[in-house]
Each structure stands twice: as structure tokens, then as C-alpha cells.
């Protein structure tokens, strides 16, 4: 009986820490700047789309200007069928997960950034941005963003 309880608990833990539900898209963000020309601090990002409206995601690091601590979304000025998700990440982020789903008031986009284990992380912020391509023009005002980098 004890083994059964341990097995069920382990399965629940793995399920809770697993990938987001729905169709999955992935990209890797590369941070480059004057003090980081080599493009260190790679960040794998997975988006779980539970709406079937997303067709692709890609890095939009150039759009990561002046990010706030919370996730925000804005229109891609070059394409009405795309939105840009922006947040302030950190040097010790190991990966990030976005979940896009329907809600009572429209849609939600939730961010969870995960950090590398260990101590001694410099407290420096990195602007992060992902371009999310939709199947057609999309009203960014219908999205409620949540989560922090």
C-alpha cells in the first residue's frame, strides 16, 4: 500500500511539473547586447496552445525594450496576425513556459519562468520577448496576461 501511495504521489508530481497542455510550440531566446555580444543566457521557451489559434512562435528579442516585471502583450506592428509577449527575465532563468487558453472574458496567456538551482545568481534583468503567430488577425486587447519572469 505504501508503494502505491508513493507511486501515485510521484505521478502527480511529474504531471504537475510537466509540459503545458495543448499543441506545443518551442523556440530558444538568445540575449545579445553590448556587454554580451556572444549571445549567452539562452532561454528555451515552450508555449502550450489550448485554443488551436497559434501557428508558430519565434524569438522577438528586439521587441523586448523596457519590459516590466510582469508579462505583457502587444500588437506586432508588422503583422496584425501576430502578438508579442514581453517580460523581464533574469540571468539564472533555465526555461520558460507560456500557456494560451480561452477564458470567460476572452483569452489568457500565462508565463512561468523556471530558475536554475544554485546560489550566487547575479540580480540582473534581461528583457525577453516571444512573437506568437496566430491563424488570423487577433485583438490583443482580448488577452489577459499573467505571470512573471
Amino acid at each position: 500500500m505504501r508503494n502505491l501511495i508513493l507511486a501515485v504521489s510521484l505521478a502527480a508530481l511529474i504531471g504537475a511539473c510537466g509540459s503545458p497542455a495543448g499543441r506545443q510550440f518551442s523556440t530558444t531566446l538568445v540575449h545579445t547586447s553590448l556587454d554580451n555580444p556572444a549571445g549567452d543566457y539562452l532561454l528555451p521557451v515552450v508555449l502550450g496552445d489550448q485554443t488551436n489559434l497559434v501557428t508558430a512562435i519565434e524569438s522577438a528579442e528586439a521587441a523586448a525594450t523596457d519590459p516590466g516585471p510582469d508579462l505583457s502583450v502587444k500588437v506586432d506592428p508588422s503583422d496584425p496576425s501576430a502578438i508579442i509577449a514581453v517580460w523581464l527575465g533574469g540571468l539564472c532563468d533555465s526555461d520558460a513556459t507560456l500557456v494560451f487558453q480561452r477564458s470567460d472574458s476572452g483569452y489568457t496567456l500565462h508565463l512561468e519562468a523556471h530558475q536554475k538551482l544554485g546560489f550566487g545568481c547575479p540580480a540582473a534583468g534581461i528583457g525577453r520577448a516571444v512573437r506568437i503567430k496566430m491563424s488570423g488577425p487577433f485583438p490583443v486587447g482580448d488577452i489577459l496576461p499573467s505571470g512573471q519572469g
Side-chain angles (χ1 to χ4, degrees):
M1 182 65 165
R2 179 178 165 186
N3 288 340
L4 177 62
I5 292 172
L6 287 173
V8 170
S9 298
L10 181 60
L13 179 62
I14 291 171
C17 297
S19 298
R23 255 175 68 199
Q24 292 190 12
F25 300 87
S26 63
T27 190
T28 299
L29 307 183
V30 179
H31 172 70
T32 56
S33 64
L34 292 176
D35 61 339
N36 183 38
D40 297 330
Y41 313 116
L42 302 177
L43 185 71
V45 177
V46 174
L47 180 139
D49 173 32
Q50 299 177 7
T51 66
N52 290 321
L53 296 173
V54 176
T55 61
I57 68 169
E58 63 187 6
S59 174
E61 290 290 296
T65 58
D66 197 29
D70 298 325
L71 177 69
S72 64
V73 292
K74 59 185 178 180
V75 175
D76 182 341
S78 67
D79 184 354
S81 296
I83 62 170
I84 299 176
V86 180
W87 70 93
L88 184 63
L91 294 177
C92 292
D93 292 347
S94 61
D95 63 273
T97 303
L98 292 162
V99 177
F100 185 60
Q101 59 190 5
R102 295 184 193 276
S103 71
D104 292 338
S105 60
Y107 300 89
T108 61
L109 181 65
H110 182 72
L111 166 71
E112 286 190 23
H114 309 105
Q115 294 192 347
K116 298 172 189 166
L117 297 177
F119 298 101
C121 180
I126 297 175
R128 300 291 194 177
V130 173
R131 183 175 183 268
I132 303 170
K133 179 74 172 153
M134 306 301 227
S135 57
F138 197 83
V140 72
D142 288 353
I143 301 172
L144 177 63
S146 64
Q148 296 182 335

